[in-house]
């Protein structure tokens, strides 16, 4: 077996939440190109089905904030395929609001999607992996879980991604001896729908570029290889880690 063989995912079932667009779409593409049979799980049926058709993968509708729906999907996929080898928790949202002006429902919604949704998926798909005594979970965190972004206000998002990183570490510690690895990828500013609005706000965008040593935003396809590494046997001795892919932002 060569080093490159360690990145291959033939005969493995992978589930990617929020895989219909942006970083998630490129993650699905990368896992599929590595040989995995991939299932996009997304709440947006139109975009999800279009992405699945484009990539030649399966699609399942899923709102990660509903634990019962997550449990149902995990059981259905397990029944159909007999296994789940890789889970990528990529679904996420952000609101850029001053903390003192943040409505209760906006704060709760961010935590429901970004934290609770990650836990529900880890719990339900993790049960399948634990029973099989093997599996790899990759959670999409953010450099925002390690630093406080500025100049844009986003306390809720930052708090949620910090929670994802420590949830990742906690599950990794619980499940390592039972064959399941849990890691996170922590992207920096990436050109997706979540950041598109800010590109048109010079007082935000100019600061982002100035404070990123590489002087630019990432493209979604630059995040996906990090997820592939953590999902594959190439990272067989890595668990509880948050792999930062931020163009050097946190180095300063």
């Amino acid at each position: 077996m060569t080093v490159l063989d360690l990145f291959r995912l033939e005969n493995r079932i992978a589930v990617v939440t929020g895989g219909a667009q942006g970083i998630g779409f490129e993650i699905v593409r990368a896992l599929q190109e590595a040989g995995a049979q991939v299932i996009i799980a997304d709440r947006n049926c139109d975009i999800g089905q279009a992405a699945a058709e484009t990539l030649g993968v399966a699609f399942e509708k899923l709102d990660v904030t509903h634990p019962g729906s997550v449990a149902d999907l995990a059981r259905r996929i397990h029944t159909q395929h007999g296994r789940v080898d890789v889970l990528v928790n990529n679904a996420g949202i952000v609101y850029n609001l001053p903390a003192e002006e943040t409505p209760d429902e906006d704060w709760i919604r961010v935590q429901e999607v970004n934290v609770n949704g990650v836990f529900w998926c880890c719990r339900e798909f993790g049960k399948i992996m634990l029973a099989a005594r093997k599996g790899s979970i990759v959670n999409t965190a953010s450099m925002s879980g390690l630093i406080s972004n500025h100049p844009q206000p986003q306390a809720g998002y930052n708090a949620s991604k910090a929670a994802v990183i420590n949830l990742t570490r906690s599950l990794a510690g619980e499940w390592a001896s039972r064959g399941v690895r849990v890691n996170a990828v922590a992207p920096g500013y990436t050109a997706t729908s979540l950041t598109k609005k800010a590109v048109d706000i010079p007082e935000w965008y100019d600061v982002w570029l100035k404070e990123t040593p590489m002087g630019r935003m990432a493209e979604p396809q630059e995040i996906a290889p990090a997820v592939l590494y953590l999902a594959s046997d190439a990272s067989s001795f890595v668990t509880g880690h948050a792999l930062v892919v931020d163009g050097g932002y946190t180095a300063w």
Side-chain angles (χ1 to χ4, degrees):
M1 178 179 292
T2 68
V3 170
L4 290 179
D5 289 333
L6 295 175
F7 289 88
R8 300 301 303 171
L9 296 174
E10 276 86 4
N11 302 315
R12 300 192 196 186
I13 304 299
V15 178
V16 181
T17 72
Q21 57 187 325
I23 292 173
F25 182 90
E26 294 300 334
I27 290 170
V28 173
R29 188 199 302 274
L31 299 181
Q32 185 200 38
E33 289 181 356
Q37 186 173 344
V38 187
I39 299 148
I40 293 175
D42 201 289
R43 67 188 300 270
N44 190 312
C45 286
D46 291 340
I47 297 176
Q49 289 174 341
E53 291 175 7
T54 297
L55 296 174
V57 301
F59 170 76
E60 292 282 354
K61 182 179 180 180
L62 177 66
D63 185 336
V64 299
T65 67
H66 296 165
S69 297
V70 173
D72 288 344
L73 179 60
R75 284 192 293 267
R76 191 159 66 250
I77 292 175
H78 186 219
T79 298
Q80 182 177 355
H81 299 281
R83 59 193 296 170
V84 177
D85 303 286
V86 175
L87 168 67
V88 181
N89 285 306
N90 181 71
I93 60 172
V94 63
Y95 295 129
N96 295 116
L97 296 168
E100 73 276 13
E101 298 175 11
T102 299
D104 295 351
E105 58 269 24
D106 286 0
W107 174 272
I108 292 169
R109 179 63 180 168
V110 169
Q111 310 313 315
E112 286 279 8
V113 176
N114 294 4
V115 184
N116 293 354
V118 170
F119 179 71
W120 306 142
C121 290
C122 285
R123 183 182 66 183
E124 298 306 324
F125 287 95
K127 291 175 184 177
I128 297 168
M129 296 178 179
L130 290 166
R133 299 195 66 81
K134 58 182 177 180
S136 177
I137 296 174
V138 185
N139 298 321
T140 300
S142 170
M143 70 175 185
S144 303
L146 301 167
I147 51 93
S148 176
N149 305 67
H150 75 102
Q152 77 277 16
Q154 53 183 50
Y157 181 80
N158 295 351
S160 74
K161 292 304 185 178
V164 168
I165 290 172
N166 219 30
L167 173 61
T168 296
R169 292 173 178 147
S170 298
L171 295 178
E174 285 192 39
W175 294 349
S177 64
R178 299 163 68 187
V180 179
R181 297 186 299 111
V182 187
N183 291 289
V185 63
Y189 292 118
T190 306
T192 68
S193 59
L194 290 184
T195 57
K196 184 177 180 180
K197 177 182 68 174
V199 171
D200 297 325
I201 305 176
E203 56 267 34
W204 291 8
Y205 186 61
D206 292 349
V207 172
W208 293 4
L209 299 189
K210 181 180 178 181
E211 298 199 359
T212 300
M214 293 186 73
R216 64 177 179 85
M217 297 175 68
E219 295 297 327
Q221 60 266 31
E222 294 181 289
I223 309 301
V227 176
L228 174 59
Y229 166 68
L230 293 172
S232 72
D233 292 341
S235 61
S236 59
F237 198 56
V238 180
T239 198
H241 181 64
L243 177 54
V244 180
V245 187
D246 68 351
Y249 188 99
T250 54
W252 283 352

